[in-house]
Amino acid sequence: MSTFQAPKGTYDLTPPRSAKFLAVREAISAPLRDSGYGYIETPGFENVELFARGVGESTDIVTKEMYTLTTKGGDQLALRPEGTASVLRAALEANLHKAGNLPVKLWYSGSYYRYERPQAGRYRHFSQVGAEAIGTEDPALDAELIILADQAYRSLGLRQFRILLNSLGDKECRPVYREALQSFLRDLDLDEETRRRIEINPLRVLDDKRADVQKQLTDAPKLRDYLCDACKAYHEEVRALLTAAGVAFEDDEKLVRGLDYYTRTTFEFVHDGLGSQSAVGGGGRYDGLSEMIGGPELPSVGWALGVDRTVLALEAEGVELDLPATTSVYAVPLGEEARRVLFGVVTELRRAGIAADFAFGGRGLKGAMKSANRSGARYTLVAGERDLAEGVVQLKDMESGEQSAVPLAEAAAELAKRLG
Ligand code: ATP
Ligand code: MG
């Protein structure tokens, strides 16, 4: 322990558990990379205004959860609380949408920051892998993203997750619904803050977690009854494509995103083993966002999956990931001369692509063999004065316990052969 600890609401990823995070990032991004999504990386902070506009002034993220700062030069910045606004900003800045190749399909992976009340599955620093498909309105694109997330979770061995699906309508039908909802909500018995929300962001009220609020919402007008024909047809097509792909989903008409530039398809992935922080990922269509941040009309769809909660979900289900062994060969030198020789063999193995490690620090045989065991290596190489005099090393198979002397010059080749 040093004088310092990780800041409140954060935690360190340390071995061996950190390997799961790498595996989750890899598993989520693999289907994207195989489906035409290119990797994008943006700064960890942006102009605060980008998020105010691109996430929404009336959202919790912007009003309560953002880490903002003023630089010494006087710039107002915020640590990124989410990825979509930054990715769209970057795509517009690089003119990716002008290459005549729509949709622009991008994926990202990184750290995000929200000033939240820390609890299990809810942190102030967390990690997401996300995907955005920019510039095309096509139900197959919405379906593609949901199918790829489903594929990613399944490839990890997750089973107890569910996909919730809804349509939020568009700029034709949503305003009509919004008004109907507002006049319904105004008659309810609600606190001041919620009353204010009715005026700025009424759909968000549907999302209220409190039981006394939910009780009053039973007869709220339903968006489904207000969808225009174009939105209905679009949504039916997304549903049909998912069904044809064998991806199960649940219609959830309470699933909302409060802002006007979120349109049509919206979805969330929930896991039943996580208690109240059950959302492992979410996304949807954001046809108006580009214009909100000063860009051209670019209908788009995307999602972000939480890496931290995905790892918790794996642990809740008791899924053991098939993690690649980190070390295949562990070398144990006995004496100065053996140290030089075996270090050379280890270097040779590594250059041949074989994962190898070494007992550093001139420890005795017993301690070094313990480390060899802990490393999970399939083979150990041991050499002392006498072995070197005979020009051999002792090669031990840690699974069978069998040990044999192998000519030093052939050790690397022999290991390569045995490890296939
Ligand atoms: P919640 O309703 O749980 O606050 P959210 O709607 O704020 O989630 P999104 O902005 O859609 O979440 O982010 C996508 C995913 O990122 C979430 O489904 C979740 O897995 C993860 N995530 C969001 N906030 C946090 C957090 N504070 N700590 C850990 N993971 C988070
Ligand atoms: Mg949140």
Side-chain angles (χ1 to χ4, degrees):
M1 193 80 143
S2 78
T3 321
F4 302 103
Q5 288 173 24
K8 186 175 174 192
T10 72
Y11 62 100
D12 304 303
L13 300 180
T14 52
R17 192 166 178 256
S18 52
K20 292 190 198 173
F21 284 72
L22 282 182
V24 165
R25 291 191 188 110
E26 169 64 25
I28 296 174
S29 58
L32 296 169
R33 286 182 271 126
D34 288 347
S35 308
Y37 289 75
Y39 178 65
I40 185 166
E41 202 166 308
T42 64
F45 49 81
E46 297 270 357
N47 187 319
V48 69
E49 200 55 30
L50 173 70
F51 300 121
R53 288 208 233 160
V55 181
E57 307 262 17
S58 63
T59 57
D60 282 352
I61 291 183
V62 170
T63 54
K64 301 184 190 150
E65 298 172 1
M66 244 181 346
Y67 282 89
T68 53
L69 61 120
T70 306
T71 66
K72 291 191 169 65
D75 293 330
Q76 301 278 332
L77 302 178
L79 301 187
R80 59 184 182 188
E82 59 102 52
T84 305
S86 310
V87 167
L88 189 55
R89 193 246 340 117
L92 291 170
E93 193 167 330
N95 277 323
L96 298 184
H97 60 298
K98 286 190 182 155
N101 197 15
L102 296 177
V104 177
K105 301 208 286 187
L106 301 167
W107 74 274
Y108 60 87
S109 172
S111 290
Y112 296 86
Y113 307 86
R114 297 184 192 175
Y115 190 73
E116 303 212 57
R117 194 165 67 78
Q119 50 200 295
R122 189 175 294 288
Y123 312 105
R124 291 180 173 178
H125 165 263
F126 60 98
S127 149
Q128 292 183 337
V129 175
E132 315 289 351
I134 297 164
T136 304
E137 191 176 83
D138 182 340
L141 205 50
D142 307 39
E144 167 176 286
L145 277 164
I146 295 171
I147 292 166
L148 293 177
D150 178 79
Q151 190 179 327
Y153 285 140
R154 285 185 188 284
S155 77
L156 283 164
L158 274 184
R159 292 294 175 267
Q160 292 162 28
F161 67 91
R162 291 178 291 129
I163 301 173
L164 310 180
L165 184 69
N166 196 16
S167 171
L168 297 177
D170 64 6
K171 54 179 183 279
E172 298 304 316
C173 52
R174 185 123 59 99
V176 185
Y177 172 69
R178 187 184 146 105
E179 234 164 80
L181 180 64
Q182 279 176 324
S183 57
F184 171 86
L185 294 173
R186 285 186 193 119
D187 289 339
L188 302 182
D189 176 24
L190 298 165
D191 59 277
E192 262 317 298
E193 193 187 335
T194 311
R195 296 205 148 275
R196 266 198 303 279
R197 188 172 287 169
I198 295 173
E199 305 312 320
I200 321 166
N201 201 342
L203 269 71
R204 264 288 171 212
V205 180
L206 297 178
D207 210 20
D208 202 307
K209 304 280 189 295
R210 291 170 295 181
D212 59 311
V213 177
Q214 278 305 325
K215 214 168 53 207
Q216 300 185 68
L217 295 174
T218 327
D219 296 324
K222 298 193 185 337
L223 221 166
R224 196 181 44 195
D225 301 329
Y226 286 76
L227 290 185
C228 61
D229 289 343
C231 283
K232 255 186 224 156
Y234 193 97
H235 196 55
E236 278 317 307
E237 185 62 15
V238 174
R239 297 175 79 255
L241 290 168
L242 291 176
T243 305
V247 171
F249 57 88
E250 298 169 20
D251 294 305
D252 180 354
E253 58 201 20
K254 287 240 171 77
L255 189 67
V256 296
R257 290 178 172 246
L259 292 145
D260 290 342
Y261 42 80
Y262 290 110
T263 46
R264 295 193 169 167
T265 314
T266 186
F267 50 86
E268 199 163 271
F269 295 85
V270 294
H271 192 274
D272 293 324
L274 293 184
S276 50
Q277 266 58 254
S278 62
V280 287
R285 201 155 253 295
Y286 49 94
D287 289 349
L289 180 55
S290 173
E291 287 147 296
M292 282 301 293
I293 64 169
E297 189 183 338
L298 284 173
S300 306
V301 56
W303 50 240
L305 309 188
V307 175
D308 308 73
R309 287 188 199 168
T310 302
V311 170
L312 291 174
L314 288 167
E315 290 170 352
E317 276 196 45
V319 176
E320 286 300 333
L321 293 177
D322 192 13
L323 299 172
T326 43
T327 304
S328 302
V329 180
Y330 197 93
V332 177
L334 303 171
E336 259 319 285
E337 181 57 16
R339 194 171 68 91
R340 270 181 227 117
V341 170
L342 281 193
F343 189 69
V345 175
V346 164
T347 301
E348 192 183 344
L349 287 169
R350 289 172 175 168
R351 286 182 177 153
I354 294 170
D357 204 356
F358 185 75
F360 291 95
R363 294 146 68 206
L365 180 62
K366 211 170 137 201
M369 285 312 283
K370 246 191 215 163
S371 300
N373 269 319
R374 211 175 303 133
S375 77
R378 175 70 202 274
Y379 295 100
T380 53
L381 282 177
V382 184
E385 304 285 294
R386 203 177 330 142
D387 298 308
L388 293 182
E390 291 168 19
V392 298
V393 291
Q394 301 297 327
L395 171 61
K396 185 175 180 187
D397 182 330
M398 300 294 275
E399 251 168 46
S400 67
E402 254 169 64
Q403 183 171 321
S404 56
V406 177
L408 183 58
E410 290 163 28
E414 173 65 20
L415 280 164
K417 196 179 79 189
R418 291 205 197 185
L419 288 161

